[in-house]
Amino acid sequence: MSSPAGPPGSRTASDPAPATVSVTTTTPVTATTPVPTSVTGWGRTAPTTARLVRPGTYDEAVAAVRACGARGGIARGLGRAYGDAAQNAGGAVWDMTGLDRIRAVDAEAGTVVCDAGVSLHRLMEVLLPRGWFVPVSPGTRYVTVGGAIGADIHGKNHHVAGSFTRHVRSFELLTADGAVRTVRPGTALFDATAGGMGLTGVILAATVALLPVRTSLMTVDTERAADLDDLLARLSATDHRHRYSVAWIDLLARGAATGRAVLTRGDHAPLDALPARARRAPLAFRPGRLPPAPRGLPDGLLGRRSAGLFNAFWYGKAPRRRTGELQKLSAFFHPLDGVPHWNRVYGRGGFVQYQFVVGLGAEGTLRRIVERIAARRCPSFLAVLKRFGAGGPGWLSFPSEGWTLALDIPAGLPGLGPFLDGLDETVAEAGGRVYLAKDARLRPELVDVMYPRADAFRALRAHTDPRGVFTSDLSRRLAL
């Protein structure tokens, strides 16, 4: 049956504010008082100024879209897109976190109906005590449902569950003509919006299928892989045995140790795996939090030397093989969420998160890229490799079957731009692509190579939004 899932209200205090660089006025942000704001992505690069508007109702969202002006507008959630997807220089940016109601949970159907501004964190707070978990979670739970659809986010379970929009039963989309449409899978508008980076309209609400769980703990297996070949062999042979799988990879290791990694696999713990004390509250959700990272950290703090020391320590401390360890959901899925504003540790210059995917059979390309990154001595602490399952129908959705590698690099690293341009070309030649939700620098001529349905996406936009109401720094940069 359907039941209300908590009262309407504001975002919880533990949800961070959208990632803005500065606000030029202290006027309250509403649908009728746009605030000029310097906006950037989570990587804190390439800030641009836009008029920030925060609608609190569907009617206010419609009014904001109609009043966006010549430079158009783009919806924004909690600001966790790393690049410029939720920026719009000289135009409007609609902060959708004011639409944050969980409207109903249907225990029989296993679905939740919620506004687009609801965060995955809030869903976990409400749903876990009822025995439900979100079907897909990325490395942070501070992502809104609208952002999860617009970026078609993926998680550690893509090889078995696919990306987020595979579990979306429908969504309400505010289109350029001011109409609100119910959009369902199997339609062109659904496929264009899934991974479409907010360029087809403003998502107002969604119905999402959930995953039943018995506890809020994970059973986790951890092991070390000696090199990249060893890692790929382990993932290929055993991924199907676990719902979740990810590898932290040491991208500074060279020679025989190139691509050495710590492989972690997990599953939702059954009730009988919990110690007696934990069974008293098996679905408790109490993620811990540390003090936030300080502002004003100097650039260069995370350099090659510190990265090399950290990577050697992290690999060395990992067990050769450990099975059945119980971990909190927050520790397994979202360890960085425990440090608010962790992106500040890269200094004022920010950082680039580079993520690409290449298909099965392109392991040689993956190996060459890892070797080039290691030879370049890129100081990357946060590098993860996963195996994707089959891709979904989204025209600009990132995941496709194969291997995906994501790494963080300080933006001020000398020669970084040309180096990543070269990696882009190698990825494109192998039939792969980069993740638009993390990108702020891809050259436009590579978009159609990486995303063969980009022309269909442009054609649909031209038909549904001939005035270019929905636009962003990313769409202008990549001619989408």
Side-chain angles (χ1 to χ4, degrees):
M1 61 180 292
S2 249
S3 61
S10 300
R11 182 176 56 227
T12 61
S14 55
D15 280 354
T20 55
V21 176
S22 63
V23 177
T24 58
T25 175
T26 57
T27 306
V29 180
T30 71
T32 57
T33 58
V35 179
T37 306
S38 181
V39 182
T40 184
W42 191 245
R44 305 175 75 204
T45 61
T48 55
T49 300
R51 291 174 287 109
L52 189 67
V53 183
R54 189 173 188 260
T57 67
Y58 293 178
D59 287 343
E60 288 182 357
V62 172
V65 167
R66 288 176 171 166
C68 66
R71 291 286 285 182
I74 193 71
R76 180 182 179 89
L78 286 167
R80 292 305 178 104
Y82 285 74
D84 56 2
Q87 299 174 212
N88 183 26
V93 169
W94 304 305
D95 174 357
M96 301 304 295
T97 57
L99 294 176
D100 61 358
R101 287 173 293 181
I102 298 176
R103 296 174 174 269
V105 176
D106 189 329
E108 293 180 2
T111 59
V112 62
V113 181
C114 63
D115 287 348
V118 173
S119 70
L120 300 191
H121 173 86
R122 181 61 180 151
L123 287 181
M124 292 175 196
E125 285 185 322
V126 171
L127 296 173
L128 268 169
R130 299 166 180 243
W132 299 101
F133 190 60
V134 294
V136 170
S137 178
T140 175
R141 60 186 179 273
Y142 295 115
V143 175
T144 62
V145 170
I149 295 170
D152 199 14
I153 60 170
H154 57 271
K156 299 176 177 68
N157 60 342
H158 190 275
H159 60 291
V160 296
S163 53
F164 191 85
T165 58
R166 175 176 167 181
H167 307 273
V168 173
R169 297 295 176 256
S170 67
F171 55 79
E172 305 300 312
L173 186 71
L174 170 57
T175 51
D177 57 3
V180 177
R181 305 171 190 275
T182 299
V183 183
R184 293 185 172 85
T187 63
L189 192 53
F190 187 100
D191 294 346
T193 304
M197 308 311 299
L199 296 172
T200 61
V202 178
I203 299 166
L204 298 176
T207 301
V208 182
L210 303 170
L211 178 71
V213 295
R214 298 294 306 280
T215 76
S216 61
L217 295 175
M218 304 292 294
T219 57
V220 181
D221 296 349
T222 305
E223 60 189 274
R224 290 191 300 198
D227 54 34
L228 185 61
D229 289 339
D230 184 27
L231 173 62
L232 298 185
R234 291 171 188 252
L235 285 167
S236 298
T238 60
D239 251 11
H240 65 281
R241 300 176 189 168
H242 301 272
R243 176 169 287 274
Y244 304 98
S245 181
V246 65
W248 168 88
I249 184 169
D250 182 359
L251 290 177
L252 285 170
R254 293 183 290 183
T258 298
R260 67 181 182 179
V262 179
L263 176 57
T264 305
R265 271 91 56 105
D267 295 281
H268 293 280
L271 189 61
D272 59 11
L274 273 57
R277 184 175 180 180
R279 293 183 199 177
R280 299 172 191 167
L283 291 165
F285 179 58
R286 303 186 188 97
R289 287 171 71 82
L290 298 172
R295 297 178 183 271
L297 290 172
D299 294 341
L301 183 66
L302 303 184
R304 292 184 176 116
R305 178 174 174 78
S306 55
L309 291 172
F310 172 84
N311 288 4
F313 166 77
W314 196 256
Y315 181 79
K317 74 178 279 292
R320 292 187 180 276
R321 181 171 176 79
R322 180 176 59 206
T323 60
E325 180 190 15
L326 287 174
Q327 290 185 9
K328 288 184 176 181
L329 283 168
S330 55
F332 181 78
F333 288 102
H334 319 116
L336 289 175
D337 282 347
V339 184
H341 304 292
W342 64 263
N343 56 338
R344 294 175 184 168
V345 303
Y346 286 90
R348 294 181 181 88
F351 68 101
V352 172
Q353 181 160 111
Y354 185 73
Q355 183 169 6
F356 67 90
V357 60
V358 293
L360 300 179
E363 289 79 9
T365 297
L366 175 63
R367 187 175 298 105
R368 287 192 296 274
I369 290 175
V370 169
E371 289 171 348
R372 286 163 65 180
I373 294 169
R376 182 71 169 70
R377 309 299 290 159
C378 290
S380 180
F381 295 78
L382 305 174
V384 296
L385 186 140
K386 298 189 287 283
R387 184 173 67 88
F388 279 160
W395 294 348
L396 295 186
S397 182
F398 168 68
S400 61
E401 190 170 22
W403 306 102
T404 181
L405 176 65
L407 60 146
D408 290 355
I409 313 171
L413 190 69
L416 180 61
F419 177 72
L420 293 181
D421 286 346
L423 296 190
D424 290 342
E425 293 170 0
T426 300
V427 169
E429 289 169 1
R433 59 184 59 151
V434 301
Y435 193 10
L436 297 183
K438 296 183 177 180
D439 175 62
R441 36 147 305 276
L442 181 68
R443 303 197 310 275
E445 59 267 25
L446 290 179
V447 171
D448 290 77
V449 179
M450 293 180 172
Y451 290 90
R453 290 178 283 188
D455 267 346
F457 180 81
R458 294 187 187 97
L460 182 139
R461 285 195 69 210
H463 176 70
T464 60
D465 185 11
R467 296 185 296 115
V469 170
F470 304 114
T471 189
S472 65
D473 291 353
L474 179 142
S475 71
R476 281 189 289 268
R477 176 171 56 86
L478 297 180
L480 288 172

PDB file of all heavy atoms in Angstrom, residues 33-48:
ATOM      1  N   THR A  33      13.210  36.398  -6.988  1.00  0.00           N
ATOM      2  CA  THR A  33      14.366  37.247  -6.716  1.00  0.00           C
ATOM      3  C   THR A  33      15.652  36.518  -7.076  1.00  0.00           C
ATOM      4  O   THR A  33      16.337  35.979  -6.211  1.00  0.00           O
ATOM      5  CB  THR A  33      14.411  37.670  -5.237  1.00  0.00           C
ATOM      6  OG1 THR A  33      14.444  36.497  -4.413  1.00  0.00           O
ATOM      7  CG2 THR A  33      13.211  38.505  -4.876  1.00  0.00           C
ATOM      8  N   PRO A  34      15.993  36.457  -8.354  1.00  0.00           N
ATOM      9  CA  PRO A  34      17.223  35.775  -8.747  1.00  0.00           C
ATOM     10  C   PRO A  34      18.456  36.452  -8.151  1.00  0.00           C
ATOM     11  O   PRO A  34      18.518  37.677  -8.035  1.00  0.00           O
ATOM     12  CB  PRO A  34      17.205  35.890 -10.273  1.00  0.00           C
ATOM     13  CG  PRO A  34      16.328  37.049 -10.571  1.00  0.00           C
ATOM     14  CD  PRO A  34      15.297  37.064  -9.497  1.00  0.00           C
ATOM     15  N   VAL A  35      19.418  35.637  -7.746  1.00  0.00           N
ATOM     16  CA  VAL A  35      20.615  36.134  -7.078  1.00  0.00           C
ATOM     17  C   VAL A  35      21.830  35.899  -7.972  1.00  0.00           C
ATOM     18  O   VAL A  35      22.155  34.751  -8.279  1.00  0.00           O
ATOM     19  CB  VAL A  35      20.812  35.414  -5.728  1.00  0.00           C
ATOM     20  CG1 VAL A  35      22.076  35.907  -5.051  1.00  0.00           C
ATOM     21  CG2 VAL A  35      19.612  35.629  -4.834  1.00  0.00           C
ATOM     22  N   PRO A  36      22.539  36.958  -8.402  1.00  0.00           N
ATOM     23  CA  PRO A  36      23.768  36.741  -9.174  1.00  0.00           C
ATOM     24  C   PRO A  36      24.786  35.979  -8.331  1.00  0.00           C
ATOM     25  O   PRO A  36      25.124  36.391  -7.220  1.00  0.00           O
ATOM     26  CB  PRO A  36      24.252  38.166  -9.477  1.00  0.00           C
ATOM     27  CG  PRO A  36      23.039  39.017  -9.330  1.00  0.00           C
ATOM     28  CD  PRO A  36      22.219  38.377  -8.248  1.00  0.00           C
ATOM     29  N   THR A  37      25.228  34.867  -8.854  1.00  0.00           N
ATOM     30  CA  THR A  37      26.062  33.950  -8.079  1.00  0.00           C
ATOM     31  C   THR A  37      27.160  33.371  -8.946  1.00  0.00           C
ATOM     32  O   THR A  37      26.937  33.008 -10.095  1.00  0.00           O
ATOM     33  CB  THR A  37      25.204  32.792  -7.516  1.00  0.00           C
ATOM     34  OG1 THR A  37      24.107  33.325  -6.795  1.00  0.00           O
ATOM     35  CG2 THR A  37      26.008  31.881  -6.618  1.00  0.00           C
ATOM     36  N   SER A  38      28.341  33.258  -8.372  1.00  0.00           N
ATOM     37  CA  SER A  38      29.436  32.566  -9.054  1.00  0.00           C
ATOM     38  C   SER A  38      29.309  31.076  -8.766  1.00  0.00           C
ATOM     39  O   SER A  38      29.348  30.660  -7.602  1.00  0.00           O
ATOM     40  CB  SER A  38      30.783  33.086  -8.561  1.00  0.00           C
ATOM     41  OG  SER A  38      31.833  32.431  -9.231  1.00  0.00           O
ATOM     42  N   VAL A  39      29.126  30.296  -9.803  1.00  0.00           N
ATOM     43  CA  VAL A  39      28.795  28.879  -9.654  1.00  0.00           C
ATOM     44  C   VAL A  39      29.900  28.027 -10.268  1.00  0.00           C
ATOM     45  O   VAL A  39      30.436  28.341 -11.334  1.00  0.00           O
ATOM     46  CB  VAL A  39      27.458  28.558 -10.354  1.00  0.00           C
ATOM     47  CG1 VAL A  39      27.093  27.088 -10.164  1.00  0.00           C
ATOM     48  CG2 VAL A  39      26.343  29.439  -9.808  1.00  0.00           C
ATOM     49  N   THR A  40      30.232  26.951  -9.608  1.00  0.00           N
ATOM     50  CA  THR A  40      31.198  26.007 -10.141  1.00  0.00           C
ATOM     51  C   THR A  40      30.749  24.594  -9.817  1.00  0.00           C
ATOM     52  O   THR A  40      29.813  24.384  -9.040  1.00  0.00           O
ATOM     53  CB  THR A  40      32.605  26.257  -9.565  1.00  0.00           C
ATOM     54  OG1 THR A  40      33.546  25.375 -10.189  1.00  0.00           O
ATOM     55  CG2 THR A  40      32.634  26.019  -8.073  1.00  0.00           C
ATOM     56  N   GLY A  41      31.406  23.613 -10.424  1.00  0.00           N
ATOM     57  CA  GLY A  41      31.129  22.220 -10.104  1.00  0.00           C
ATOM     58  C   GLY A  41      31.942  21.768  -8.909  1.00  0.00           C
ATOM     59  O   GLY A  41      32.683  22.535  -8.291  1.00  0.00           O
ATOM     60  N   TRP A  42      31.807  20.491  -8.575  1.00  0.00           N
ATOM     61  CA  TRP A  42      32.493  19.949  -7.404  1.00  0.00           C
ATOM     62  C   TRP A  42      34.012  20.015  -7.553  1.00  0.00           C
ATOM     63  O   TRP A  42      34.740  20.082  -6.565  1.00  0.00           O
ATOM     64  CB  TRP A  42      32.038  18.521  -7.164  1.00  0.00           C
ATOM     65  CG  TRP A  42      32.457  17.947  -5.851  1.00  0.00           C
ATOM     66  CD1 TRP A  42      33.314  16.910  -5.649  1.00  0.00           C
ATOM     67  CD2 TRP A  42      32.024  18.352  -4.549  1.00  0.00           C
ATOM     68  NE1 TRP A  42      33.458  16.644  -4.317  1.00  0.00           N
ATOM     69  CE2 TRP A  42      32.674  17.519  -3.612  1.00  0.00           C
ATOM     70  CE3 TRP A  42      31.163  19.351  -4.084  1.00  0.00           C
ATOM     71  CZ2 TRP A  42      32.478  17.650  -2.237  1.00  0.00           C
ATOM     72  CZ3 TRP A  42      30.976  19.481  -2.715  1.00  0.00           C
ATOM     73  CH2 TRP A  42      31.627  18.641  -1.815  1.00  0.00           C
ATOM     74  N   GLY A  43      34.496  20.020  -8.779  1.00  0.00           N
ATOM     75  CA  GLY A  43      35.932  20.134  -9.000  1.00  0.00           C
ATOM     76  C   GLY A  43      36.480  21.528  -8.790  1.00  0.00           C
ATOM     77  O   GLY A  43      37.694  21.718  -8.757  1.00  0.00           O
ATOM     78  N   ARG A  44      35.598  22.523  -8.673  1.00  0.00           N
ATOM     79  CA  ARG A  44      35.957  23.913  -8.377  1.00  0.00           C
ATOM     80  C   ARG A  44      36.835  24.527  -9.465  1.00  0.00           C
ATOM     81  O   ARG A  44      37.732  25.324  -9.192  1.00  0.00           O
ATOM     82  CB  ARG A  44      36.627  24.022  -6.993  1.00  0.00           C
ATOM     83  CG  ARG A  44      35.793  23.451  -5.870  1.00  0.00           C
ATOM     84  CD  ARG A  44      36.532  23.454  -4.551  1.00  0.00           C
ATOM     85  NE  ARG A  44      36.594  24.804  -3.988  1.00  0.00           N
ATOM     86  CZ  ARG A  44      37.523  25.209  -3.129  1.00  0.00           C
ATOM     87  NH1 ARG A  44      38.499  24.382  -2.782  1.00  0.00           N
ATOM     88  NH2 ARG A  44      37.497  26.423  -2.634  1.00  0.00           N
ATOM     89  N   THR A  45      36.562  24.180 -10.694  1.00  0.00           N
ATOM     90  CA  THR A  45      37.265  24.781 -11.826  1.00  0.00           C
ATOM     91  C   THR A  45      36.250  25.544 -12.676  1.00  0.00           C
ATOM     92  O   THR A  45      35.056  25.283 -12.628  1.00  0.00           O
ATOM     93  CB  THR A  45      37.943  23.703 -12.696  1.00  0.00           C
ATOM     94  OG1 THR A  45      36.939  22.820 -13.208  1.00  0.00           O
ATOM     95  CG2 THR A  45      38.955  22.901 -11.896  1.00  0.00           C
ATOM     96  N   ALA A  46      36.739  26.483 -13.453  1.00  0.00           N
ATOM     97  CA  ALA A  46      35.944  27.217 -14.449  1.00  0.00           C
ATOM     98  C   ALA A  46      34.647  27.794 -13.900  1.00  0.00           C
ATOM     99  O   ALA A  46      33.566  27.550 -14.442  1.00  0.00           O
ATOM    100  CB  ALA A  46      35.657  26.304 -15.652  1.00  0.00           C
ATOM    101  N   PRO A  47      34.682  28.594 -12.830  1.00  0.00           N
ATOM    102  CA  PRO A  47      33.438  29.193 -12.327  1.00  0.00           C
ATOM    103  C   PRO A  47      32.883  30.224 -13.299  1.00  0.00           C
ATOM    104  O   PRO A  47      33.629  30.920 -13.983  1.00  0.00           O
ATOM    105  CB  PRO A  47      33.874  29.853 -11.016  1.00  0.00           C
ATOM    106  CG  PRO A  47      35.332  30.127 -11.186  1.00  0.00           C
ATOM    107  CD  PRO A  47      35.856  28.995 -12.031  1.00  0.00           C
ATOM    108  N   THR A  48      31.555  30.314 -13.374  1.00  0.00           N
ATOM    109  CA  THR A  48      30.886  31.345 -14.157  1.00  0.00           C
ATOM    110  C   THR A  48      29.733  31.897 -13.336  1.00  0.00           C
ATOM    111  O   THR A  48      29.256  31.250 -12.412  1.00  0.00           O
ATOM    112  CB  THR A  48      30.355  30.800 -15.502  1.00  0.00           C
ATOM    113  OG1 THR A  48      29.498  29.680 -15.263  1.00  0.00           O
ATOM    114  CG2 THR A  48      31.497  30.372 -16.409  1.00  0.00           C
TER     115      THR A  48
END
